[in-house]
Amino acid sequence: MRILVIGSGGREHALVWKIAQSKLVDKIFCAPGNAGISDLAECVDIRPEDIPALIDFVRREKIDLTVVGPEAPLSLGIVDEFNNYKLKIFGPNKKAAKLEASKVFAKQMMAKYKVPTADFKIFTDAEEAKKYIDKIGPSCVVKADGLASGKGVVVAKTINEAKDAVTSMIEEKIFGDAGNRIIIEECLEGAEASILVLTDSKEVIPLASAQDHKRIFDKDQGPNTGGMGAYSPAPVVTNELFNEILDKVVYRIIDGLIKEGIDYRGVLYAGIILTKEGPKVLEFNVRFGDPETEAILPRLSSDLVEAMLATADGKLTKFKKFGGLNWDSRACVCVVCASGGYPGKYENGKEIFGLDEAAKMKDVVVFHAGTKKSPVTSHTLTGTGQSPVKYFTNGGRVLGVTGLGNIIKEAVDKTYKAVDKISFEGMNYRKDIGYKAIANIKNQISK
Ligand code: AMP
Ligand code: GLY
């Protein structure tokens, strides 16, 4: 089979890496990909949002399956367009993708189908939103309705902070039309976890649980990022909780979508917070999480392509009957190395050192996110006998260094040993990825 993966981050590198292990696959393309991906797939310079160009490419290259990484093309309706041409694609259609593309839609669906989530109100008028903030007091969360690259959520501690968020979203339009409507919701407390499932609307097959680390600094300090690290499994999600989340969140929302005439096929991601009142949904995503995917896929022992084909074809029940998904019981940790200054301004083009040394370690994979290779010229090929290829930073999140271990502590130690081998000017990473999981397990043992 010939596969096209759309996207260019660590998630897409992990997808390409796992897809490359499938016995069904002959050749992988990635649009647009990155330096790490280009070692496994042929990268083609097409933007994920350029749907006509992607369709042309898929028809010309006779691609058998297209896998969509990021949310933007899904929310633009790439799946519907591919279906019109009878081209096979993994991901939800435009109506289903609204679950992520519109937080208002997601909240309304949750309210209608009794999926537990934070109490909320929807606003289009800044003055009314601010009056409401005065009424409810500090400690609320302000969210832009539309897609904002993970930056459209402000967890406010003071009334002024909440009001400033309203001003910047509705009045200053920092997220453009994505902030035409906003949500103000109660601030919840508890541990967070990411629950991802494969579904074709008739069947649900859960992936292993994971936990993301959204804040830039250790101990969950500083602004939110796209994700600074992840681990899988998330020990805080016991079997009992996992089943409760499936019952109260996953099945209810999929049933609700069916009742609304929406056929969901792909990965459904529920961002969960475990409150004293039980698990509640913070957000839905309609795609693989990043960096959760980097921590989940190394634990998957089944063929991902078979699972994706079954999902796209609506044959997950049969797939499950013949074995479903199997998992490596080891723990996996992914530490994101970011450019200095991220999630604010940062510089690209810093040379990355130590990649080969880290990749040589057993049970370690270095997934690339924002990276670029130096062009290999005849000049660089001559000379010292050293590798002619140089890697440079080319984005905020640069690498996802990933390690497996028998227990989470072992995975954490191994991953940080690999991180120690890597360097680039301004490199920043969190030193506490996985520590919550270690603490949680210690707690469970001492109980
Ligand atoms: P979201 O993109 O909606 O998942 O929000 C990003 C992050 O903001 C989440 O991972 C939480 O840490 C935090 N967050 C979102 N909504 C709430 C809420 N209602 N209460 C507390 N924290 C929240
Ligand atoms: N890790 C959070 C996300 O993928 O949105």
Side-chain angles (χ1 to χ4, degrees), residues 212 214 226 269 283 285 287-292:
D212 186 7
K214 285 215 164 74
Y269 165 134
E283 63 165 345
N285 293 323
R287 42 149 184 98
F288 284 99
D290 193 351
E292 288 93 332

Side-chain angles (χ1 to χ4, degrees), residues 204-220:
V204 168
I205 303 186
L207 305 185
S209 64
Q211 179 157 8
D212 186 7
H213 298 65
K214 285 215 164 74
R215 305 294 187 113
I216 183 75
F217 299 127
D218 287 9
K219 300 197 178 127
D220 296 328

